[in-house]
Amino acid sequence: MAVIENVSLAPYSAFRTGGTCRYFWQPESIEEIARELPQLAGIPFYLLGAGSNSLLSDTPWPGMVMQFDKLATCEPTDTGFLCGAGVANSQLAEKARDRWLAGAAWMYRLPGQLGATIRMNARCYGGEISQCVDQVTTVTPQGQIKIYTVSPDDPTPVFRGYKDTIFMQNGEIVVQAHIQLQPGPLAPIEALMERIEHDRTGKGHFDFPTCGCVFKNDYAPEVSVSSGLLLEMAGSKSMKTPHARVSEKHGNFIFNHNNASSEEILTLSLDMREAVWQEFGVWLAYEMELMGEFPAALLARFREERPPQHKKSRLAEARARFKV
Ligand SMILES: Cc1cc2nc3c(=O)[nH]c(=O)nc-3n(C[C@H](O)[C@H](O)[C@H](O)COP(=O)(O)OP(=O)(O)OC[C@H]3O[C@@H](n4cnc5c(N)ncnc54)[C@H](O)[C@@H]3O)c2cc1C
């Protein structure tokens, strides 16, 4: 087990923020994870993929970060690919295109790694990872290797709907998955990838360090409008701090504009959520995840829950705008 001490985490964070961790481990095999995990003897650990959905604390963190860059094999199978947790989403889409396999093009230019993408059931451009995974291998915190067969008939499904999976609750580490794809004509695969490239770059997704959408969408029938639009209508696009600001093109994206700290980004996000609450009575759920230690007052605000107090006429206005 090769562990490095006192590693700076900012290069592993899509926001390019974050302090150091005491121990940093990039496991090279599933067996290594299963063998070493029980030896950690109570050392707290965090899992980190490409850090594109995470905000890492500024203060040094006394625990271990397990990062998956070295678990990135992507082997062709008869029906798809057998992938390690560290395979980049976009790379998987490219490999599928090269074999004329349909079903993975939506992952093109989706930041992040497969392990975290499965954990949160990521989705975009009409695709969702639940639609193309037929087997997931995990390691439990106790070091047990488990294999899940994904089936729509499963009474206790792995994927539980919009950005929700059992792995978000049970703390198991996604270490490998089989991606099941279908032979398809090349032209529509390439067309979708081109559309995504155009759309994401046009919307400025890669202009500054960011973790993408800070908040999930709220699909309650009384809301049913993207959180980006609610945020925009609540004035988020003009919200900023000295070093971070909301994207002018997307009300749900925070950009690290000029060496922002994670604390600054968290504070800005809390103010965005408050603005939507005041305007619409909708309490947005965070998609962005926190890793490490944050000041207690900020954490308390982050964890606060409020039952909805929907402002129906304002939400109707938003829905009307959403449909146009
Ligand atoms: C510009 C931009 C655009 C984006 N657009 C979208 C979009 O359209 N749709 C969408 O769904 N998301 C989007 N995202 C978010 C991001 O791409 C996804 O959430 C991605 O799946 C995160 O992968 P990651 O490896 O970077 O996760 P990380 O941020 O490293 O980790 C996220 C969470 O998963 C946990 N984790 C990491 N690896 C594992 C593992 N192997 N097993 C179990 N848990 C693990 C971490 O502890 C953390 O809790 C966007 C992000 C950016 C920066």
Side-chain angles (χ1 to χ4, degrees), residues 129-306:
I129 196 68
S130 64
Q131 297 162 351
C132 49
V133 171
D134 63 359
Q135 195 175 74
V136 182
T137 306
T138 66
V139 178
T140 68
Q142 295 72 36
Q144 186 197 350
I145 297 174
K146 286 170 76 171
I147 297 178
Y148 292 86
T149 302
V150 179
S151 148
D153 308 324
D154 196 337
T156 51
V158 165
F159 296 104
R160 306 202 296 195
Y162 173 60
K163 297 199 170 168
D164 188 18
T165 70
I166 56 165
F167 309 123
M168 295 170 85
Q169 263 75 49
N170 68 15
E172 292 177 14
I173 303 166
V174 176
V175 290
Q176 183 175 273
H178 185 259
I179 306 297
Q180 163 102 36
L181 303 168
Q182 311 79 41
L186 183 60
I189 298 172
E190 286 187 325
L192 178 55
M193 288 168 79
E194 260 172 49
R195 180 164 79 80
I196 291 171
E197 175 74 41
H198 191 256
D199 193 58
R200 285 201 188 267
T201 49
K203 288 180 178 157
H205 282 198
F206 310 113
D207 289 356
F208 291 96
T210 179
C211 81
C213 286
V214 176
F215 299 100
K216 293 184 187 181
N217 290 326
D218 186 334
Y219 287 111
E222 319 82 78
V223 183
S224 291
V225 133
S226 77
S227 295
L229 182 58
L230 295 182
L231 283 153
E232 180 184 337
M233 288 177 70
S236 73
K237 284 184 174 177
S238 58
M239 293 174 74
K240 56 184 167 195
T241 67
H243 309 102
R245 64 169 169 77
V246 177
S247 161
E248 286 158 4
K249 294 179 181 161
H250 198 315
N252 201 356
F253 271 45
I254 294 179
F255 284 149
N256 177 356
H257 198 232
N258 180 20
N259 289 322
S261 66
S262 288
E263 248 183 77
E264 212 176 326
I265 290 168
L266 180 55
T267 305
L268 179 56
S269 75
L270 292 164
D271 293 346
M272 290 159 70
R273 183 171 60 166
E274 188 63 40
V276 168
W277 174 256
Q278 297 299 334
E279 195 67 24
F280 296 102
V282 172
W283 193 240
L284 295 177
Y286 271 91
E287 177 167 328
M288 175 181 86
E289 305 200 40
L290 302 190
M291 278 195 213
E293 289 164 357
F294 287 83
L298 286 183
L299 265 189
R301 281 183 72 194
F302 178 79
R303 290 182 180 143
E304 188 184 347
E305 293 289 346
R306 291 184 198 169

Side-chain angles (χ1 to χ4, degrees), residues 20-38:
T20 54
C21 65
R22 180 81 176 91
Y23 305 107
F24 186 77
W25 174 30
Q26 291 180 310
E28 293 183 29
S29 70
I30 298 173
E31 292 69 30
E32 182 188 341
I33 298 175
R35 189 179 64 240
E36 300 296 343
L37 260 188

Side-chain angles (χ1 to χ4, degrees), residues 14 46-54 68 85 89 110-113 115-117 119-120 122-125 163 172-175 200 205-206 210-213 253 287 289 291:
Y46 276 110
L47 309 177
L48 188 59
S52 62
N53 203 37
S54 301
F68 295 98
N89 293 322
L110 173 66
Q113 298 182 351
T117 297
R119 175 185 176 273
M120 62 106 65
R123 54 150 74 179
C124 53
Y125 298 100
K163 297 199 170 168
E172 292 177 14
I173 303 166
V174 176
V175 290
R200 285 201 188 267
H205 282 198
F206 310 113
T210 179
C211 81
C213 286
F253 271 45
E287 177 167 328
E289 305 200 40
M291 278 195 213

